[in-house]
Amino acid sequence: MKTLTLTVALLYLGAMATVVGADDYYWIESTGGDYGTADNWSPSGPPDSSDDAYFELDDIYTVTFDNNYAVERMRADAGQVSFDLNGYQYDVTWETVGDDAVFIGDCNAVELTVFNSGSIFTGNVIIGREYGSHGILNIDGADTLWQVRRDPNWYSMFIGGNGWGELHVSNGGTMDFGAGSVATHYPSKAFVTVDGLDSLWRVDGFLAMGDSGIADVRVTNQGAVNVSRCDMANNPSAQVFMTIVGKNSENNSEFYLRSFSETSLTIGRFGSAHLTCLNNGKIINEGNLALAAYPGSVGELTLSESSADIWRSAAIGGTLTAAGGTAVVNLLRDGKLNVGQYDPNNMVVWPNGTINLREGELNLDVLDEMHLLVLHGRLAGVGTVIANVLNPDGVVAPSGGFNLSSQDIEIRSDYTQGSAGRLEIAITQVPYTDPPQSYYGRLAVSEGGVATIDGFLEVTLNDYVPDEEESFTIIDAPAGVIGRFLNTPDDVYVGPSGTFDVQYFSDSVVLTNYRSQACIDPPQADLNGDCRVDLLDLAMMAAEWLIDGRS
């Protein structure tokens, strides 16, 4: 495992002007040419392994490698230069810890493209080092490799030090380094793309994706990112947007994290991070997942027609042991989140965490063992949950749209609602219907699961007034319903705008016999919305006594 330690001072220790004993060789042929041609260099070259190579012409040109070469350090700091490796190897031998060997966009704007197979092996690399610089590195083509490694030691890469850094890997190229950061310092920016079959961005150790700046990462057309451990939006100033877009094939665009023994993916550590996976893209995380790990952070995971496999545990809105920031998991149509395949454990949804189902699926039963989904936050929408669902003090809110084929949250196991938990039901008018029609969410407990209910029911009417004879099955559990809601004394629910009779059957809970009853002046201490203050409101307060929503 590689550990990244980076300060502003370390970036500047790498300035090539500080090297003692090396000769500086400048490429001077603006039309390009062979690397080994002496007249293409000043002084007459080429440089050897104890010298430094500079590519600073403000022109568009190609340097063609006609043999294997080595230099001590290299800087590209102007123009558009291409390295036609032609199957050869280029070594940049500087290996001092904390010092950079390669500078791409040191102070100015430059684009360096490496292509036509061959390999480059270097020490530390920085792209976009100074404020105002803009460095671009393109790795293009099959068997074209840039490895930040001097055998046997791995080194680091910084994409956007203080300036703007870009890395683009395409058409089967490979970028491989030991550890590093993307958008290292505020207000740096970084843009990374990995595009095409067999295109690979690999990090042997830790990656800070969006350390303090703004990072935009896109993986497309069967490209792959493979990292041991990744923190997205590492510091409060960081913003990260990562998008994975697949194709209709088995070998698809992928984000793979290899560290099994720890939280190997954090989406929003102290800053704001958004990870989106679309169109058969894949996320595979061998360790734990944390969204919005610490207070003040923001984390969002969106899956649509794609999947994320989390081999161990997951925390939404915090870490596995404590609440953190604001987190949302969006499981859109055919989006699948699988948790706990190799280490059955809990999935925790903290107070500022939300799982939005929009015809997606959450599966915690991959090993045919029922895992717990502990809800301190919110589970809402329409979709499928394959897990035991424990709702001690959170919210479950089945709510679809009138144009969806289902309005259910289907739980394919047991549902247990605690004394401070809430089931929220919204009954909504279908637009432009005459006479008015409605749709509403339902909790469907299937696959032999039992619904055990306690706590509170909350019913909202959205632009719809039910008839007295209408009924609404809000819980359907063929294997059994146990218990009653605390706020339905005498099997009557009193809400802000009216009253329902609540019918408890052995396999369902039904609302019926609506009576309009406006609450003219709701008491401030009416916590359950029944227009009166009683022991039920006291029970709600007691269930959350001394809870501090700031921590």
Side-chain angles (χ1 to χ4, degrees):
M1 173 63 63
K2 305 296 178 294
T3 301
L4 172 66
T5 302
L6 180 64
T7 65
V8 174
L10 288 181
L11 285 175
Y12 287 92
L13 281 174
M16 293 181 69
T18 65
V19 179
V20 177
D23 290 328
D24 296 340
Y25 284 77
Y26 292 82
W27 182 270
I28 59 172
E29 179 49 67
S30 61
T31 62
D34 289 345
Y35 188 98
T37 299
D39 291 344
N40 291 336
W41 296 92
S42 178
S44 180
D48 62 27
S49 60
S50 63
D51 300 321
D52 297 339
Y54 290 78
F55 300 89
E56 298 187 337
L57 296 178
D58 193 12
D59 293 291
I60 301 173
Y61 60 98
T62 297
V63 177
T64 301
F65 283 70
D66 52 356
N67 209 330
N68 297 326
Y69 292 100
V71 294
E72 190 168 60
R73 280 179 156 183
M74 187 197 87
R75 182 169 76 176
D77 202 30
Q80 298 178 44
V81 54
S82 297
F83 285 179
D84 180 352
L85 293 180
N86 199 25
Y88 289 107
Q89 179 173 315
Y90 193 37
D91 289 286
V92 183
T93 62
W94 186 260
E95 296 187 61
T96 301
V97 175
D99 236 344
D100 297 313
V102 176
F103 303 78
I104 301 169
D106 189 22
C107 301
N108 302 300
V110 66
E111 181 172 7
L112 172 61
T113 298
V114 179
F115 70 101
N116 195 16
S117 68
S119 303
I120 297 180
F121 297 96
T122 73
N124 294 330
V125 176
I126 185 165
I127 305 175
R129 183 176 74 95
E130 277 280 15
Y131 294 102
S133 63
H134 185 182
I136 302 173
L137 174 60
N138 305 312
I139 311 294
D140 183 65
D143 300 319
T144 303
L145 167 67
W146 188 312
Q147 191 170 75
V148 186
R149 184 173 189 264
R150 302 289 305 153
D151 192 31
N153 299 316
W154 285 97
Y155 291 93
S156 299
M157 186 170 191
F158 310 105
I159 305 168
N162 290 303
W164 185 358
E166 297 188 34
L167 170 66
H168 304 289
V169 184
S170 59
N171 299 315
T174 297
M175 182 75 239
D176 194 5
F177 54 87
S181 69
V182 180
T184 305
H185 294 291
Y186 180 82
S188 63
K189 296 186 292 183
F191 182 33
V192 179
T193 63
V194 185
D195 181 76
L197 180 63
D198 296 327
S199 298
L200 174 64
W201 175 25
R202 183 185 178 277
V203 184
D204 191 65
F206 171 67
L207 177 66
M209 186 185 292
D211 199 356
S212 294
I214 300 174
D216 183 353
V217 178
R218 304 177 191 181
V219 186
T220 54
N221 295 315
Q222 300 172 276
V225 176
N226 189 301
V227 180
S228 179
R229 182 169 70 89
C230 180
D231 284 354
M232 300 173 67
N234 205 32
N235 290 298
S237 59
Q239 298 179 56
V240 178
F241 305 89
M242 183 176 185
T243 305
I244 304 161
V245 182
K247 295 179 70 174
N248 295 322
S249 69
E250 293 182 3
N251 188 359
N252 229 315
S253 304
E254 180 179 276
F255 184 25
Y256 199 112
L257 300 110
R258 305 185 309 274
S259 182
F260 181 79
S261 61
E262 55 192 337
T263 299
S264 48
L265 177 58
T266 299
I267 304 172
R269 187 170 183 264
F270 286 104
S272 173
H274 308 266
L275 174 55
T276 301
C277 193
L278 309 171
N279 193 29
N280 296 307
K282 294 189 295 185
I283 300 169
I284 301 174
N285 178 21
E286 294 187 8
N288 298 316
L289 167 68
L291 264 76
Y294 298 104
S297 62
V298 174
E300 182 179 31
L301 172 63
T302 299
L303 304 175
S304 177
E305 296 183 321
S306 59
S307 65
D309 294 339
I310 311 301
W311 287 15
R312 300 188 70 192
S313 302
I316 314 302
T319 65
L320 294 175
T321 57
T326 301
V328 178
V329 175
N330 299 307
L331 300 179
L332 308 183
R333 180 166 297 176
D334 294 327
K336 296 182 179 180
L337 176 59
N338 305 309
V339 179
Q341 292 98 314
Y342 294 94
D343 182 26
N345 210 323
N346 291 341
M347 180 174 180
V348 183
V349 185
W350 292 104
N352 291 322
T354 300
I355 297 176
N356 282 328
L357 294 168
R358 285 295 179 266
E359 299 184 303
E361 178 181 289
L362 172 62
N363 187 352
L364 283 76
D365 187 31
V366 180
L367 290 180
D368 295 325
E369 299 176 22
M370 293 299 179
H371 312 298
L372 300 177
L373 171 62
V374 180
L375 285 174
H376 301 280
R378 185 178 181 86
L379 171 66
V382 171
T384 302
V385 179
I386 305 173
N388 271 330
V389 176
L390 301 181
N391 178 15
D393 57 1
V395 174
V396 172
S399 55
F402 70 92
N403 57 339
L404 299 180
S405 59
S406 171
Q407 308 298 329
D408 297 348
I409 289 182
E410 180 186 3
I411 296 175
R412 295 181 184 174
S413 189
D414 294 335
Y415 173 74
T416 302
Q417 180 168 304
S419 60
R422 291 207 316 274
L423 176 65
E424 294 183 355
I425 302 295
I427 303 174
T428 304
Q429 180 173 320
V430 177
Y432 311 114
T433 55
D434 187 18
Q437 301 177 31
S438 69
Y439 64 93
Y440 66 98
R442 184 180 67 156
L443 183 64
V445 182
S446 64
E447 303 288 331
V450 174
T452 302
I453 55 176
D454 197 353
F456 300 91
L457 170 67
E458 183 174 309
V459 180
T460 302
L461 301 178
N462 296 323
D463 300 319
Y464 186 75
V465 179
D467 293 331
E468 288 188 17
E469 61 271 17
E470 279 189 274
S471 62
F472 305 89
T473 301
I474 59 173
I475 297 178
D476 179 45
V481 174
I482 300 172
R484 278 171 161 72
F485 296 109
L486 290 177
N487 62 335
T488 59
D490 303 319
D491 295 345
V492 174
Y493 169 80
V494 179
S497 57
T499 301
F500 284 100
D501 289 341
V502 184
Q503 298 178 333
Y504 293 95
F505 298 103
S506 62
D507 60 355
S508 62
V509 177
V510 178
L511 302 179
T512 188
N513 193 24
Y514 174 77
R515 287 92 68 196
S516 178
Q517 176 183 320
C519 186
I520 305 301
D521 187 18
Q524 187 173 357
D526 174 26
L527 300 182
N528 65 347
D530 63 0
C531 208
R532 59 188 177 185
V533 178
D534 54 22
L535 290 176
L536 295 177
D537 301 294
L538 181 62
M540 290 183 69
M541 183 184 72
E544 297 190 356
W545 182 252
L546 296 181
I547 291 179
D548 187 348
R550 298 167 297 179
S551 61

